PDB file of all heavy atoms in Angstrom:
ATOM      1  N   SER A 674    -118.490  38.425 168.393  1.00  0.00           N
ATOM      2  CA  SER A 674    -117.546  38.809 167.233  1.00  0.00           C
ATOM      3  C   SER A 674    -116.108  38.773 167.849  1.00  0.00           C
ATOM      4  O   SER A 674    -115.916  39.301 169.025  1.00  0.00           O
ATOM      5  CB  SER A 674    -117.898  40.192 166.679  1.00  0.00           C
ATOM      6  OG  SER A 674    -119.166  40.124 165.995  1.00  0.00           O
ATOM      7  N   TYR A 675    -115.163  38.458 167.040  1.00  0.00           N
ATOM      8  CA  TYR A 675    -113.788  38.384 167.523  1.00  0.00           C
ATOM      9  C   TYR A 675    -112.862  39.034 166.438  1.00  0.00           C
ATOM     10  O   TYR A 675    -113.053  38.901 165.250  1.00  0.00           O
ATOM     11  CB  TYR A 675    -113.278  36.862 167.596  1.00  0.00           C
ATOM     12  CG  TYR A 675    -114.221  36.072 168.505  1.00  0.00           C
ATOM     13  CD1 TYR A 675    -115.469  35.488 168.086  1.00  0.00           C
ATOM     14  CD2 TYR A 675    -113.920  35.985 169.933  1.00  0.00           C
ATOM     15  CE1 TYR A 675    -116.164  34.776 169.009  1.00  0.00           C
ATOM     16  CE2 TYR A 675    -114.667  35.207 170.698  1.00  0.00           C
ATOM     17  CZ  TYR A 675    -115.851  34.619 170.325  1.00  0.00           C
ATOM     18  OH  TYR A 675    -116.605  33.938 171.181  1.00  0.00           O
ATOM     19  N   ILE A 676    -111.856  39.790 166.957  1.00  0.00           N
ATOM     20  CA  ILE A 676    -110.842  40.435 165.999  1.00  0.00           C
ATOM     21  C   ILE A 676    -109.589  39.627 166.388  1.00  0.00           C
ATOM     22  O   ILE A 676    -109.101  39.567 167.440  1.00  0.00           O
ATOM     23  CB  ILE A 676    -110.772  41.864 166.429  1.00  0.00           C
ATOM     24  CG1 ILE A 676    -112.117  42.655 166.149  1.00  0.00           C
ATOM     25  CG2 ILE A 676    -109.691  42.587 165.488  1.00  0.00           C
ATOM     26  CD1 ILE A 676    -112.098  44.066 166.559  1.00  0.00           C
ATOM     27  N   LEU A 677    -109.014  39.163 165.355  1.00  0.00           N
ATOM     28  CA  LEU A 677    -107.829  38.310 165.471  1.00  0.00           C
ATOM     29  C   LEU A 677    -106.579  39.330 165.509  1.00  0.00           C
ATOM     30  O   LEU A 677    -106.409  40.274 164.847  1.00  0.00           O
ATOM     31  CB  LEU A 677    -107.516  37.551 164.321  1.00  0.00           C
ATOM     32  CG  LEU A 677    -108.133  36.017 164.368  1.00  0.00           C
ATOM     33  CD1 LEU A 677    -109.587  36.128 164.263  1.00  0.00           C
ATOM     34  CD2 LEU A 677    -107.496  35.193 163.234  1.00  0.00           C
ATOM     35  N   LEU A 678    -105.871  39.271 166.712  1.00  0.00           N
ATOM     36  CA  LEU A 678    -104.670  39.951 166.911  1.00  0.00           C
ATOM     37  C   LEU A 678    -103.463  39.222 166.482  1.00  0.00           C
ATOM     38  O   LEU A 678    -102.477  39.858 166.010  1.00  0.00           O
ATOM     39  CB  LEU A 678    -104.565  40.343 168.449  1.00  0.00           C
ATOM     40  CG  LEU A 678    -105.794  41.136 169.014  1.00  0.00           C
ATOM     41  CD1 LEU A 678    -105.577  41.530 170.539  1.00  0.00           C
ATOM     42  CD2 LEU A 678    -105.969  42.323 168.276  1.00  0.00           C
ATOM     43  N   GLU A 679    -103.366  37.907 166.693  1.00  0.00           N
ATOM     44  CA  GLU A 679    -102.202  37.196 166.230  1.00  0.00           C
ATOM     45  C   GLU A 679    -102.700  35.738 166.121  1.00  0.00           C
ATOM     46  O   GLU A 679    -103.671  35.349 166.789  1.00  0.00           O
ATOM     47  CB  GLU A 679    -101.005  37.353 167.161  1.00  0.00           C
ATOM     48  CG  GLU A 679    -101.260  36.895 168.589  1.00  0.00           C
ATOM     49  CD  GLU A 679    -100.093  36.980 169.493  1.00  0.00           C
ATOM     50  OE1 GLU A 679     -98.990  37.402 168.987  1.00  0.00           O
ATOM     51  OE2 GLU A 679    -100.095  36.672 170.680  1.00  0.00           O
ATOM     52  N   GLY A 680    -101.955  35.001 165.333  1.00  0.00           N
ATOM     53  CA  GLY A 680    -102.336  33.598 165.010  1.00  0.00           C
ATOM     54  C   GLY A 680    -103.089  33.372 163.811  1.00  0.00           C
ATOM     55  O   GLY A 680    -103.111  34.167 162.812  1.00  0.00           O
ATOM     56  N   GLU A 681    -103.867  32.210 163.770  1.00  0.00           N
ATOM     57  CA  GLU A 681    -104.609  31.705 162.555  1.00  0.00           C
ATOM     58  C   GLU A 681    -105.743  31.006 163.032  1.00  0.00           C
ATOM     59  O   GLU A 681    -105.646  30.102 163.916  1.00  0.00           O
ATOM     60  CB  GLU A 681    -103.731  30.951 161.740  1.00  0.00           C
ATOM     61  CG  GLU A 681    -104.169  30.775 160.353  1.00  0.00           C
ATOM     62  CD  GLU A 681    -103.122  30.010 159.455  1.00  0.00           C
ATOM     63  OE1 GLU A 681    -102.875  28.892 159.721  1.00  0.00           O
ATOM     64  OE2 GLU A 681    -102.591  30.708 158.511  1.00  0.00           O
ATOM     65  N   VAL A 682    -106.931  31.267 162.299  1.00  0.00           N
ATOM     66  CA  VAL A 682    -108.242  30.471 162.770  1.00  0.00           C
ATOM     67  C   VAL A 682    -108.709  29.843 161.388  1.00  0.00           C
ATOM     68  O   VAL A 682    -108.784  30.630 160.379  1.00  0.00           O
ATOM     69  CB  VAL A 682    -109.136  31.439 163.333  1.00  0.00           C
ATOM     70  CG1 VAL A 682    -110.569  30.763 163.511  1.00  0.00           C
ATOM     71  CG2 VAL A 682    -108.642  31.881 164.673  1.00  0.00           C
ATOM     72  N   GLU A 683    -109.119  28.618 161.541  1.00  0.00           N
ATOM     73  CA  GLU A 683    -109.721  27.978 160.317  1.00  0.00           C
ATOM     74  C   GLU A 683    -111.322  27.936 160.521  1.00  0.00           C
ATOM     75  O   GLU A 683    -111.732  27.547 161.559  1.00  0.00           O
ATOM     76  CB  GLU A 683    -109.280  26.537 160.230  1.00  0.00           C
ATOM     77  CG  GLU A 683    -109.765  25.781 159.066  1.00  0.00           C
ATOM     78  CD  GLU A 683    -109.201  24.445 159.071  1.00  0.00           C
ATOM     79  OE1 GLU A 683    -108.749  23.892 160.065  1.00  0.00           O
ATOM     80  OE2 GLU A 683    -109.288  23.692 157.892  1.00  0.00           O
ATOM     81  N   LEU A 684    -111.981  28.447 159.503  1.00  0.00           N
ATOM     82  CA  LEU A 684    -113.424  28.452 159.477  1.00  0.00           C
ATOM     83  C   LEU A 684    -114.046  27.076 159.007  1.00  0.00           C
ATOM     84  O   LEU A 684    -113.440  26.438 158.010  1.00  0.00           O
ATOM     85  CB  LEU A 684    -113.987  29.465 158.622  1.00  0.00           C
ATOM     86  CG  LEU A 684    -113.790  30.968 159.130  1.00  0.00           C
ATOM     87  CD1 LEU A 684    -114.326  31.920 158.040  1.00  0.00           C
ATOM     88  CD2 LEU A 684    -114.284  31.210 160.407  1.00  0.00           C
ATOM     89  N   LEU A 685    -114.993  26.516 159.710  1.00  0.00           N
ATOM     90  CA  LEU A 685    -115.509  25.235 159.347  1.00  0.00           C
ATOM     91  C   LEU A 685    -117.028  25.342 159.206  1.00  0.00           C
ATOM     92  O   LEU A 685    -117.677  26.180 159.818  1.00  0.00           O
ATOM     93  CB  LEU A 685    -115.229  24.205 160.489  1.00  0.00           C
ATOM     94  CG  LEU A 685    -113.744  24.076 160.769  1.00  0.00           C
ATOM     95  CD1 LEU A 685    -113.603  23.300 162.154  1.00  0.00           C
ATOM     96  CD2 LEU A 685    -112.980  23.275 159.729  1.00  0.00           C
ATOM     97  N   GLN A 686    -117.509  24.405 158.309  1.00  0.00           N
ATOM     98  CA  GLN A 686    -118.976  24.379 158.287  1.00  0.00           C
ATOM     99  C   GLN A 686    -119.323  22.875 157.961  1.00  0.00           C
ATOM    100  O   GLN A 686    -118.602  22.045 157.626  1.00  0.00           O
ATOM    101  CB  GLN A 686    -119.535  25.196 156.986  1.00  0.00           C
ATOM    102  CG  GLN A 686    -119.196  24.644 155.573  1.00  0.00           C
ATOM    103  CD  GLN A 686    -119.654  25.436 154.428  1.00  0.00           C
ATOM    104  OE1 GLN A 686    -120.076  26.578 154.663  1.00  0.00           O
ATOM    105  NE2 GLN A 686    -119.525  25.010 153.235  1.00  0.00           N
ATOM    106  N   PRO A 687    -120.659  22.510 158.237  1.00  0.00           N
ATOM    107  CA  PRO A 687    -121.020  21.099 158.162  1.00  0.00           C
ATOM    108  C   PRO A 687    -120.856  20.536 156.770  1.00  0.00           C
ATOM    109  O   PRO A 687    -121.141  21.262 155.687  1.00  0.00           O
ATOM    110  CB  PRO A 687    -122.512  21.167 158.424  1.00  0.00           C
ATOM    111  CG  PRO A 687    -122.659  22.409 159.321  1.00  0.00           C
ATOM    112  CD  PRO A 687    -121.691  23.396 158.772  1.00  0.00           C
ATOM    113  N   ALA A 688    -120.290  19.419 156.634  1.00  0.00           N
ATOM    114  CA  ALA A 688    -120.144  18.760 155.320  1.00  0.00           C
ATOM    115  C   ALA A 688    -121.215  17.813 154.966  1.00  0.00           C
ATOM    116  O   ALA A 688    -121.871  17.341 155.910  1.00  0.00           O
ATOM    117  CB  ALA A 688    -118.718  18.023 155.258  1.00  0.00           C
ATOM    118  N   PRO A 689    -121.396  17.431 153.679  1.00  0.00           N
ATOM    119  CA  PRO A 689    -122.460  16.578 153.320  1.00  0.00           C
ATOM    120  C   PRO A 689    -122.292  15.167 154.004  1.00  0.00           C
ATOM    121  O   PRO A 689    -123.345  14.545 154.225  1.00  0.00           O
ATOM    122  CB  PRO A 689    -122.211  16.413 151.821  1.00  0.00           C
ATOM    123  CG  PRO A 689    -121.573  17.559 151.390  1.00  0.00           C
ATOM    124  CD  PRO A 689    -120.677  18.028 152.546  1.00  0.00           C
ATOM    125  N   ASP A 690    -121.154  14.760 154.335  1.00  0.00           N
ATOM    126  CA  ASP A 690    -120.928  13.406 154.917  1.00  0.00           C
ATOM    127  C   ASP A 690    -121.110  13.365 156.486  1.00  0.00           C
ATOM    128  O   ASP A 690    -120.922  12.418 157.170  1.00  0.00           O
ATOM    129  CB  ASP A 690    -119.511  12.825 154.611  1.00  0.00           C
ATOM    130  CG  ASP A 690    -118.534  13.830 155.185  1.00  0.00           C
ATOM    131  OD1 ASP A 690    -118.744  14.843 155.832  1.00  0.00           O
ATOM    132  OD2 ASP A 690    -117.266  13.434 154.899  1.00  0.00           O
ATOM    133  N   GLY A 691    -121.529  14.565 156.999  1.00  0.00           N
ATOM    134  CA  GLY A 691    -121.867  14.586 158.463  1.00  0.00           C
ATOM    135  C   GLY A 691    -120.696  15.195 159.248  1.00  0.00           C
ATOM    136  O   GLY A 691    -120.885  15.624 160.357  1.00  0.00           O
ATOM    137  N   GLY A 692    -119.478  15.309 158.597  1.00  0.00           N
ATOM    138  CA  GLY A 692    -118.403  15.942 159.370  1.00  0.00           C
ATOM    139  C   GLY A 692    -118.347  17.422 159.126  1.00  0.00           C
ATOM    140  O   GLY A 692    -119.387  18.121 158.977  1.00  0.00           O
ATOM    141  N   GLU A 693    -117.151  17.952 159.115  1.00  0.00           N
ATOM    142  CA  GLU A 693    -116.940  19.411 158.956  1.00  0.00           C
ATOM    143  C   GLU A 693    -115.917  19.667 157.767  1.00  0.00           C
ATOM    144  O   GLU A 693    -114.943  18.829 157.642  1.00  0.00           O
ATOM    145  CB  GLU A 693    -116.484  20.116 160.134  1.00  0.00           C
ATOM    146  CG  GLU A 693    -117.569  20.193 161.223  1.00  0.00           C
ATOM    147  CD  GLU A 693    -117.043  20.972 162.492  1.00  0.00           C
ATOM    148  OE1 GLU A 693    -115.885  20.762 162.899  1.00  0.00           O
ATOM    149  OE2 GLU A 693    -117.781  21.817 162.983  1.00  0.00           O
ATOM    150  N   GLU A 694    -116.100  20.632 157.017  1.00  0.00           N
ATOM    151  CA  GLU A 694    -115.040  21.014 155.933  1.00  0.00           C
ATOM    152  C   GLU A 694    -114.611  22.534 156.089  1.00  0.00           C
ATOM    153  O   GLU A 694    -115.380  23.314 156.626  1.00  0.00           O
ATOM    154  CB  GLU A 694    -115.679  20.764 154.571  1.00  0.00           C
ATOM    155  CG  GLU A 694    -116.956  21.673 154.361  1.00  0.00           C
ATOM    156  CD  GLU A 694    -117.490  21.346 152.938  1.00  0.00           C
ATOM    157  OE1 GLU A 694    -117.053  20.537 152.205  1.00  0.00           O
ATOM    158  OE2 GLU A 694    -118.594  22.083 152.621  1.00  0.00           O
ATOM    159  N   SER A 695    -113.323  22.732 155.604  1.00  0.00           N
ATOM    160  CA  SER A 695    -112.794  23.953 155.850  1.00  0.00           C
ATOM    161  C   SER A 695    -113.231  24.898 154.716  1.00  0.00           C
ATOM    162  O   SER A 695    -113.379  24.615 153.553  1.00  0.00           O
ATOM    163  CB  SER A 695    -111.291  23.826 155.748  1.00  0.00           C
ATOM    164  OG  SER A 695    -110.707  25.139 155.749  1.00  0.00           O
ATOM    165  N   VAL A 696    -113.685  26.222 155.031  1.00  0.00           N
ATOM    166  CA  VAL A 696    -114.002  27.166 154.041  1.00  0.00           C
ATOM    167  C   VAL A 696    -113.149  28.275 154.025  1.00  0.00           C
ATOM    168  O   VAL A 696    -113.438  29.242 153.434  1.00  0.00           O
ATOM    169  CB  VAL A 696    -115.514  27.609 154.352  1.00  0.00           C
ATOM    170  CG1 VAL A 696    -116.508  26.428 154.200  1.00  0.00           C
ATOM    171  CG2 VAL A 696    -115.714  28.132 155.819  1.00  0.00           C
ATOM    172  N   GLY A 697    -112.078  28.320 154.756  1.00  0.00           N
ATOM    173  CA  GLY A 697    -111.099  29.499 154.638  1.00  0.00           C
ATOM    174  C   GLY A 697    -110.400  29.642 155.914  1.00  0.00           C
ATOM    175  O   GLY A 697    -110.533  29.037 156.938  1.00  0.00           O
ATOM    176  N   MET A 698    -109.305  30.522 155.864  1.00  0.00           N
ATOM    177  CA  MET A 698    -108.460  30.727 157.010  1.00  0.00           C
ATOM    178  C   MET A 698    -108.519  32.218 157.347  1.00  0.00           C
ATOM    179  O   MET A 698    -108.667  33.154 156.330  1.00  0.00           O
ATOM    180  CB  MET A 698    -107.078  30.545 156.726  1.00  0.00           C
ATOM    181  CG  MET A 698    -106.861  29.078 156.346  1.00  0.00           C
ATOM    182  SD  MET A 698    -107.211  27.837 157.500  1.00  0.00           S
ATOM    183  CE  MET A 698    -105.975  28.128 158.907  1.00  0.00           C
ATOM    184  N   LEU A 699    -108.542  32.624 158.600  1.00  0.00           N
ATOM    185  CA  LEU A 699    -108.553  34.072 159.056  1.00  0.00           C
ATOM    186  C   LEU A 699    -107.284  34.363 159.644  1.00  0.00           C
ATOM    187  O   LEU A 699    -106.653  33.445 160.396  1.00  0.00           O
ATOM    188  CB  LEU A 699    -109.745  34.274 160.113  1.00  0.00           C
ATOM    189  CG  LEU A 699    -111.126  34.042 159.494  1.00  0.00           C
ATOM    190  CD1 LEU A 699    -112.112  34.469 160.701  1.00  0.00           C
ATOM    191  CD2 LEU A 699    -111.312  35.024 158.388  1.00  0.00           C
ATOM    192  N   ARG A 700    -106.779  35.529 159.366  1.00  0.00           N
ATOM    193  CA  ARG A 700    -105.519  35.943 159.914  1.00  0.00           C
ATOM    194  C   ARG A 700    -105.689  37.431 160.359  1.00  0.00           C
ATOM    195  O   ARG A 700    -106.534  38.133 159.864  1.00  0.00           O
ATOM    196  CB  ARG A 700    -104.338  35.813 158.750  1.00  0.00           C
ATOM    197  CG  ARG A 700    -104.119  34.490 158.303  1.00  0.00           C
ATOM    198  CD  ARG A 700    -103.175  34.302 157.184  1.00  0.00           C
ATOM    199  NE  ARG A 700    -103.075  32.988 156.622  1.00  0.00           N
ATOM    200  CZ  ARG A 700    -103.928  32.515 155.742  1.00  0.00           C
ATOM    201  NH1 ARG A 700    -105.009  33.121 155.249  1.00  0.00           N
ATOM    202  NH2 ARG A 700    -103.790  31.145 155.323  1.00  0.00           N
ATOM    203  N   PRO A 701    -104.793  37.883 161.303  1.00  0.00           N
ATOM    204  CA  PRO A 701    -104.847  39.319 161.726  1.00  0.00           C
ATOM    205  C   PRO A 701    -104.846  40.199 160.553  1.00  0.00           C
ATOM    206  O   PRO A 701    -104.105  40.093 159.560  1.00  0.00           O
ATOM    207  CB  PRO A 701    -103.582  39.439 162.609  1.00  0.00           C
ATOM    208  CG  PRO A 701    -103.314  38.062 162.906  1.00  0.00           C
ATOM    209  CD  PRO A 701    -103.618  37.192 161.947  1.00  0.00           C
ATOM    210  N   PRO A 702    -105.765  41.295 160.564  1.00  0.00           N
ATOM    211  CA  PRO A 702    -106.780  41.632 161.581  1.00  0.00           C
ATOM    212  C   PRO A 702    -108.161  41.297 161.243  1.00  0.00           C
ATOM    213  O   PRO A 702    -109.072  42.139 161.254  1.00  0.00           O
ATOM    214  CB  PRO A 702    -106.521  43.206 161.665  1.00  0.00           C
ATOM    215  CG  PRO A 702    -106.305  43.559 160.313  1.00  0.00           C
ATOM    216  CD  PRO A 702    -105.534  42.357 159.629  1.00  0.00           C
ATOM    217  N   ASP A 703    -108.320  40.099 160.734  1.00  0.00           N
ATOM    218  CA  ASP A 703    -109.739  39.644 160.298  1.00  0.00           C
ATOM    219  C   ASP A 703    -110.703  39.619 161.419  1.00  0.00           C
ATOM    220  O   ASP A 703    -110.307  39.514 162.617  1.00  0.00           O
ATOM    221  CB  ASP A 703    -109.664  38.231 159.654  1.00  0.00           C
ATOM    222  CG  ASP A 703    -108.887  38.284 158.370  1.00  0.00           C
ATOM    223  OD1 ASP A 703    -108.708  39.306 157.862  1.00  0.00           O
ATOM    224  OD2 ASP A 703    -108.463  37.156 157.866  1.00  0.00           O
ATOM    225  N   ILE A 704    -111.898  39.672 161.090  1.00  0.00           N
ATOM    226  CA  ILE A 704    -113.101  39.658 162.009  1.00  0.00           C
ATOM    227  C   ILE A 704    -113.883  38.352 161.820  1.00  0.00           C
ATOM    228  O   ILE A 704    -114.154  37.990 160.849  1.00  0.00           O
ATOM    229  CB  ILE A 704    -114.004  40.850 161.826  1.00  0.00           C
ATOM    230  CG1 ILE A 704    -113.288  42.149 162.026  1.00  0.00           C
ATOM    231  CG2 ILE A 704    -115.210  40.744 162.797  1.00  0.00           C
ATOM    232  CD1 ILE A 704    -114.111  43.354 161.710  1.00  0.00           C
ATOM    233  N   LEU A 705    -114.208  37.771 163.002  1.00  0.00           N
ATOM    234  CA  LEU A 705    -114.962  36.578 162.987  1.00  0.00           C
ATOM    235  C   LEU A 705    -116.208  36.818 163.614  1.00  0.00           C
ATOM    236  O   LEU A 705    -116.342  37.301 164.615  1.00  0.00           O
ATOM    237  CB  LEU A 705    -114.129  35.447 163.774  1.00  0.00           C
ATOM    238  CG  LEU A 705    -114.796  34.070 164.011  1.00  0.00           C
ATOM    239  CD1 LEU A 705    -114.950  33.399 162.627  1.00  0.00           C
ATOM    240  CD2 LEU A 705    -114.023  33.235 164.885  1.00  0.00           C
ATOM    241  N   GLY A 706    -117.349  36.393 162.939  1.00  0.00           N
ATOM    242  CA  GLY A 706    -118.673  36.539 163.478  1.00  0.00           C
ATOM    243  C   GLY A 706    -119.332  37.784 162.967  1.00  0.00           C
ATOM    244  O   GLY A 706    -120.442  38.161 163.419  1.00  0.00           O
ATOM    245  N   ALA A 707    -118.916  38.464 161.841  1.00  0.00           N
ATOM    246  CA  ALA A 707    -119.515  39.661 161.219  1.00  0.00           C
ATOM    247  C   ALA A 707    -120.890  39.299 160.727  1.00  0.00           C
ATOM    248  O   ALA A 707    -121.893  40.050 160.984  1.00  0.00           O
ATOM    249  CB  ALA A 707    -118.674  40.238 160.289  1.00  0.00           C
ATOM    250  N   GLU A 708    -121.017  38.151 159.970  1.00  0.00           N
ATOM    251  CA  GLU A 708    -122.246  37.781 159.360  1.00  0.00           C
ATOM    252  C   GLU A 708    -123.351  37.543 160.349  1.00  0.00           C
ATOM    253  O   GLU A 708    -124.572  37.915 160.146  1.00  0.00           O
ATOM    254  CB  GLU A 708    -122.038  36.634 158.395  1.00  0.00           C
ATOM    255  CG  GLU A 708    -123.332  36.279 157.621  1.00  0.00           C
ATOM    256  CD  GLU A 708    -123.137  35.156 156.538  1.00  0.00           C
ATOM    257  OE1 GLU A 708    -121.788  34.825 156.322  1.00  0.00           O
ATOM    258  OE2 GLU A 708    -124.139  34.669 156.068  1.00  0.00           O
ATOM    259  N   GLU A 709    -123.013  36.775 161.390  1.00  0.00           N
ATOM    260  CA  GLU A 709    -123.922  36.487 162.494  1.00  0.00           C
ATOM    261  C   GLU A 709    -124.487  37.711 163.113  1.00  0.00           C
ATOM    262  O   GLU A 709    -125.768  37.758 163.376  1.00  0.00           O
ATOM    263  CB  GLU A 709    -123.356  35.606 163.429  1.00  0.00           C
ATOM    264  CG  GLU A 709    -123.105  34.104 162.993  1.00  0.00           C
ATOM    265  CD  GLU A 709    -121.763  33.984 162.054  1.00  0.00           C
ATOM    266  OE1 GLU A 709    -121.120  35.082 161.989  1.00  0.00           O
ATOM    267  OE2 GLU A 709    -121.643  33.004 161.472  1.00  0.00           O
ATOM    268  N   LEU A 710    -123.727  38.714 163.202  1.00  0.00           N
ATOM    269  CA  LEU A 710    -124.124  39.939 163.832  1.00  0.00           C
ATOM    270  C   LEU A 710    -125.153  40.729 162.890  1.00  0.00           C
ATOM    271  O   LEU A 710    -126.231  41.234 163.306  1.00  0.00           O
ATOM    272  CB  LEU A 710    -122.979  40.916 163.997  1.00  0.00           C
ATOM    273  CG  LEU A 710    -123.390  42.301 164.549  1.00  0.00           C
ATOM    274  CD1 LEU A 710    -123.844  42.336 166.030  1.00  0.00           C
ATOM    275  CD2 LEU A 710    -122.151  43.235 164.409  1.00  0.00           C
ATOM    276  N   ILE A 711    -124.944  40.678 161.625  1.00  0.00           N
ATOM    277  CA  ILE A 711    -125.739  41.392 160.661  1.00  0.00           C
ATOM    278  C   ILE A 711    -127.132  40.667 160.468  1.00  0.00           C
ATOM    279  O   ILE A 711    -128.205  41.281 160.553  1.00  0.00           O
ATOM    280  CB  ILE A 711    -125.090  41.449 159.232  1.00  0.00           C
ATOM    281  CG1 ILE A 711    -123.846  42.383 159.424  1.00  0.00           C
ATOM    282  CG2 ILE A 711    -126.091  42.065 158.298  1.00  0.00           C
ATOM    283  CD1 ILE A 711    -124.067  43.726 159.890  1.00  0.00           C
TER     284      ILE A 711
END
């Protein structure tokens, strides 16, 4: 899990065409990886 202190992170997930698509942006103080932990 990661807590954003500064900057910006783009979340990606597999796209139907085989690439990746954006599903949102995280900004401080967002948490990354909460769902995987649960």
Side-chain angles (χ1 to χ4, degrees):
S674 294
Y675 303 86
I676 301 174
L677 270 69
L678 301 181
E679 60 181 358
E681 192 173 71
V682 173
E683 182 180 20
L684 292 181
L685 304 167
Q686 70 178 12
D690 60 3
E693 290 184 315
E694 60 182 1
S695 176
V696 293
M698 305 295 295
L699 295 179
R700 300 172 182 87
D703 291 344
I704 300 176
L705 179 63
E708 184 175 346
E709 288 76 12
L710 174 72
I711 295 299

